[in-house]
Amino acid sequence: MELNITGQTRLAALYAQPARHSISPAMHTKAFEATGTDAVYLSFDVAPEDLAASMTAVRTLGMMGVNLSMPHKMAVIPFLDELSPAAQLIGAVNTVVNEDGRLVGHNTDGVGFMRSLQDIDVDIIGKEICIIGAGGAATAIASQAAIDGVKRIYVFNRQDEFMEKFQQKAAEIAATTAADVVTVDLEADYHQLAECLKKCVLLVNATGVGMKPHDDLMPIKNGEVLHEDLAVYDVIYNPRETKLLRTAREKGLKTANGLGMLLYQGAEAFRLWTGKEMPVEIIKPLVDNS
Ligand code: NAP
């Protein structure tokens, strides 16, 4: 690999803990090369107590920006000068852009999810969707879907602290967008899932249920609730095909795993930093083989 680092080369980075397993350095460095952008991307293991100093470094070192992952997505907010409307609504930031010393926080997870639906030719604008899960991924997806014009979003999760936080978020989403958000207790009211799904064009699993090594699990009891006009999306990408996706595919439904969301959240961060489109046809094989 040829690297032409000069005095002008700029730095983008991932701050996370752990950070070393991430695909982001390979994705962005390849995209910088392919678009002739004089920049590199590195990952840094940043402990929570070092986040303040690390964010100061973004300014003092004139970094292009950073991605944030666990455990910094919410903790970073006090160190920023401004939030995008989506980051504000989601209450979490995965991308910071250094605009001449002004640090602007964005959340590109929801944008990545929405963009990835185009790959399976699923249109949810003006329609109803159902999400299982009430954590970070569910919040990003529900918020961006509402911003983009999805009509109604059903969120199923057991009634616990994730759900309580999400219910506050649902009120904010309803107050700031035209979408309705309905929350349902997945354990107590499982029977409502089939009724809600009848009105929906998309079911999203936004939990870790079905992830390796528990890939014999799925977040629904069986495939009976999956009707023929439904598409099924799983944010999990390890395994590539979860039990939920296999069940849906065997019923002839359109399916997608979380690799598209991963790819396009990166593409949106790249666009925010460089003003250029990420050449996704070059980056996609990297992500697929990660
Ligand atoms: P999170 O904030 O910790 O939320 C986890 C959610 O999953 C909660 O709603 C939790 O509900 C539910 N859950 C139920 N059973 C679970 C189990 N056995 N294991 C894990 N979660 C369970 O996590 P998150 O950031 O939303 O991430 C959720 C999933 O999305 C993870 O698999 C993550 O890898 C994936 N993800 C993918 C992308 C992508 O780009 N494709 C991006 C972000 C996240 P309870 O209240 O029932 O516990």
Side-chain angles (χ1 to χ4, degrees):
M1 184 175 71
E2 197 190 335
L3 268 183
N4 292 313
I5 292 179
T6 70
Q8 301 299 321
T9 305
R10 297 195 67 199
L11 176 64
L14 170 68
Y15 289 172
Q17 192 180 51
R20 304 292 179 192
H21 65 286
S22 172
I23 177 79
S24 294
M27 262 171 87
H28 286 289
T29 300
K30 186 123 192 135
F32 289 147
E33 272 171 28
T35 56
T37 306
D38 190 5
V40 292
Y41 185 112
L42 299 174
S43 65
F44 295 107
D45 254 302
V46 174
E49 61 273 23
D50 295 328
L51 182 62
S54 302
M55 291 312 297
T56 301
V58 177
R59 273 199 197 87
T60 54
L61 303 181
M63 290 169 68
M64 182 180 257
V66 284
N67 283 139
L68 285 311
S69 191
M70 291 303 288
H72 304 312
K73 285 184 167 188
M74 289 187 273
V76 74
I77 290 175
F79 307 114
L80 303 178
D81 299 302
E82 190 183 327
L83 292 180
S84 73
Q88 178 84 47
L89 187 56
I90 296 164
V93 165
N94 76 340
T95 302
V96 173
V97 182
N98 181 0
E99 295 182 1
D100 297 323
R102 227 181 122 63
L103 302 187
V104 183
H106 298 261
N107 192 312
T108 68
D109 283 336
V111 175
F113 167 80
M114 293 297 289
R115 169 68 185 82
S116 69
L117 292 178
Q118 290 173 21
D119 287 353
I120 53 165
D121 200 20
V122 169
D123 179 11
I124 61 172
I125 305 306
K127 301 183 181 153
E128 304 190 20
I129 68 167
C130 179
I131 300 172
I132 301 179
T139 303
I141 290 169
S143 301
Q144 193 66 49
I147 289 170
D148 289 358
V150 167
K151 183 175 151 202
R152 182 169 295 122
I153 303 161
Y154 300 96
V155 171
F156 282 78
N157 201 78
R158 61 184 159 195
Q159 190 61 47
D160 61 4
E161 63 279 14
F162 274 110
M163 188 63 145
E164 272 169 31
K165 265 177 76 183
F166 186 86
Q167 280 160 336
Q168 290 167 15
K169 190 54 65 188
E172 271 177 64
I173 294 173
T176 52
T177 72
D180 276 344
V181 185
V182 178
T183 60
V184 186
D185 184 336
L186 184 62
E187 277 180 351
D189 298 318
Y190 184 84
H191 61 279
Q192 284 198 35
L193 186 61
E195 284 312 303
C196 293
L197 280 176
K198 279 182 197 157
K199 297 176 244 169
C200 290
V201 294
L202 180 69
L203 168 65
V204 182
N205 174 36
T207 76
V209 179
M211 210 156 82
K212 273 187 180 161
H214 303 295
D215 41 1
D216 54 330
L217 300 178
M218 62 177 177
I220 56 175
K221 288 181 183 164
N222 54 54
E224 278 170 27
V225 292
L226 306 177
H227 60 80
E228 63 180 7
D229 298 321
L230 194 67
V232 179
Y233 193 107
D234 204 322
V235 295
I236 294 171
Y237 46 82
N238 189 16
R240 297 294 192 254
E241 186 177 65
T242 58
K243 186 174 178 188
L244 174 67
L245 292 188
R246 190 170 65 251
T247 305
R249 179 178 53 78
E250 285 170 358
K251 293 191 91 164
L253 311 188
K254 285 182 184 172
T255 62
N257 65 26
L259 280 180
M261 182 171 168
L262 180 68
L263 172 67
Y264 294 115
Q265 63 75 31
E268 179 63 6
F270 186 85
R271 195 186 64 76
L272 290 166
W273 289 327
T274 64
K276 300 174 189 175
E277 292 303 320
M278 179 182 266
V280 285
E281 66 291 350
I282 297 174
I283 308 303
K284 193 169 180 301
L286 264 185
V287 175
D288 287 345
N289 296 323
S290 65

